[in-house]
Amino acid sequence: MATVADAQFGERRDDYPSGMPRAHSVDRWIFVGMALWFIAIVLVGFVPDSMMKVAMINAGARAPFPFILHVHAVLMGSFLLLLLSQTVMVATGRGALHKQVGIAAYMLVPALIGVGFLLAPTMYYQVWGGAKFGPPAVRTALAPIVPIVENILLLQISAGVLFGIFMTIALKARATNAGLHKRMMFLATAVPLGAAIDRMSWLPSSMPGSPWASYVYVLASLAPLFVWDVVRHRRVHQAYWVFLAFYIPVTTLVVVAWDKTWWHETAHRIMGV
């Protein structure tokens, strides 16, 4: 029955685990666990940070959140809940419903990418404007923050580009290669998790001097799925090779460009300041 169900869902034969049936509970629920794991990372990273910033806003110690930030939070939350619901549907054998609901990703993903690329300059201008035109005390406080925000632009741009590439691959494989599709959905979602991880101040970090630790933590967040795949399939699935083919060059470029004079000059040109 598991073989028939997988065939109907578009699963390729080479995605079956070596020597064991796909109906095994771990095989069916590992992706549900990964979706919950990603949601937990986001909550642990953003909730304490957001509460702290709300308290600062109420105390008049920082500017209010821009509206686009709220839109981004709603879209990202909706996407994570969609990812979770999709994995539960597959795990419980509701493949037809999974396909119907999955169409929502074709609207959510472009919206999330578009809003992300609007959010980055909005947050930059908020800091830059305060450092340039704010009261003397504000200018003094924000002046050293501007170069840090310019470096963070590298993280935001790279995350947006990689997320877009991986999601495009995932959605294109939706009808033809379910094994690639489901893994690329998670590999794509892991990329922006760096924003949540960087807010966990209790973790050892290379920031703000270098972003390499953030990228390592993103890879670590994928460890449960990768280990499961290798153990069960006795090979590295093609999705991981595709992921690394883009992830390593892009993140290496970010590490190399980080805090370089030429990057700050480039950031000024991009932002028009």
Side-chain angles (χ1 to χ4, degrees), residues 37-48 76 80 192-193 196 200:
W37 168 234
F38 282 4
I39 291 172
I41 290 174
V42 170
L43 292 177
V44 171
F46 277 103
V47 170
M76 193 65 196
L80 289 170
L193 290 182
M200 300 179 193

Side-chain angles (χ1 to χ4, degrees), residues 45 125 131 150 234:
Y125 290 134
E150 289 169 355
R234 300 177 187 173

Side-chain angles (χ1 to χ4, degrees), residues 9-12 15 173-183:
F9 188 62
E11 193 75 87
R12 298 200 332 172
D15 193 49
R174 181 171 180 259
T176 58
N177 189 337
L180 178 64
H181 164 71
K182 63 188 179 184
R183 289 172 179 82

Side-chain angles (χ1 to χ4, degrees), residues 143-154 207-208 258-259 264:
I145 305 299
V146 173
I148 296 175
V149 175
E150 289 169 355
N151 283 331
I152 291 174
L153 275 174
L154 278 169
M207 296 282 280
W258 192 263
D259 210 28
H264 290 294

Side-chain angles (χ1 to χ4, degrees), residues 4 25 146 240:
V4 172
S25 61
V146 173
Y240 301 106

Side-chain angles (χ1 to χ4, degrees), residues 43-144:
L43 292 177
V44 171
F46 277 103
V47 170
D49 181 77
S50 298
M51 292 176 65
M52 176 194 69
K53 289 177 179 176
V54 167
M56 292 176 65
I57 292 170
N58 292 335
R62 63 164 289 153
F65 295 130
F67 176 73
I68 195 69
L69 181 62
H70 298 293
V71 175
H72 182 268
V74 170
L75 288 174
M76 193 65 196
S78 300
F79 177 79
L80 289 170
L81 290 177
L82 175 64
L83 185 67
L84 175 61
S85 66
Q86 289 291 85
T87 60
V88 171
M89 289 175 197
V90 174
T92 54
R94 291 176 286 179
L97 182 60
H98 167 90
K99 289 183 177 181
Q100 293 172 357
V101 175
I103 295 174
Y106 289 91
M107 296 176 287
L108 263 179
V109 169
L112 193 52
I113 294 172
V115 168
F117 278 107
L118 290 175
L119 177 62
T122 299
M123 300 304 291
Y124 176 82
Y125 290 134
Q126 189 177 63
V127 176
W128 180 84
K132 189 77 173 177
F133 304 110
V138 173
R139 292 201 303 268
T140 300
L142 292 182

Side-chain angles (χ1 to χ4, degrees), residues 14-15 177 179-180 183 229 233 235-241:
D14 63 3
D15 193 49
N177 189 337
L180 178 64
R183 289 172 179 82
D229 259 338
H233 294 274
R235 64 185 176 88
V236 176
H237 193 278
Q238 67 178 120
Y240 301 106
W241 296 119

